[in-house]
Amino acid sequence: MVTYSYRCRQCGDFDVRAPMGSAAPRRACPRCGGSAGRRFTAPRVRRGDAAMWRALESTERSAEQPEVVSGLPPASGAARVSRDPRHARLPRP
Ligand SMILES: [Zn+2]
């Protein structure tokens, strides 16, 4: 997904996230419905860990479209048990 910027003459700038290469030259303004032209801006190049960016995008996406779950995630194998003897001395709930 890529963020494209548009400018409405009455309302100002707004951003639209869409697949790369799918930006229309004009788009309806989300506030007034008027025609807004695309603004060409510097590309937002990302650097860093891909897993971090996936997590950030997931967080950003869930702000607008929360993922709804209907149950617990499947159990992943046996319960993890520590073999460190110091953990046995820790207080238990
Ligand atoms: Zn507008």
Side-chain angles (χ1 to χ4, degrees):
M1 298 291 263
V2 182
T3 302
Y4 296 102
S5 293
Y6 290 86
R7 177 168 288 163
C8 173
R9 289 180 189 260
Q10 280 89 40
C11 309
D13 297 346
F14 63 93
D15 292 340
V16 173
R17 289 183 55 81
M20 186 177 283
S22 66
R26 302 203 68 81
R27 193 172 191 100
C29 171
R31 285 176 229 143
C32 71
S35 181
R38 184 172 166 200
R39 287 179 55 226
F40 289 92
T41 58
R44 298 177 188 172
V45 178
R46 293 182 169 177
R47 302 175 80 186
D49 186 22
M52 179 190 72
W53 283 110
R54 276 196 303 275
L56 287 173
E57 284 183 348
S58 173
T59 302
E60 186 178 303
R61 228 182 2 258
S62 70
E64 297 171 10
Q65 299 171 341
E67 293 180 13
V68 178
V69 295
S70 57
L72 296 172
S76 58
R80 292 176 47 194
V81 177
S82 172
R83 295 195 170 103
D84 189 328
R86 293 173 295 178
H87 292 167
R89 294 194 304 264
L90 291 173
R92 301 283 174 215

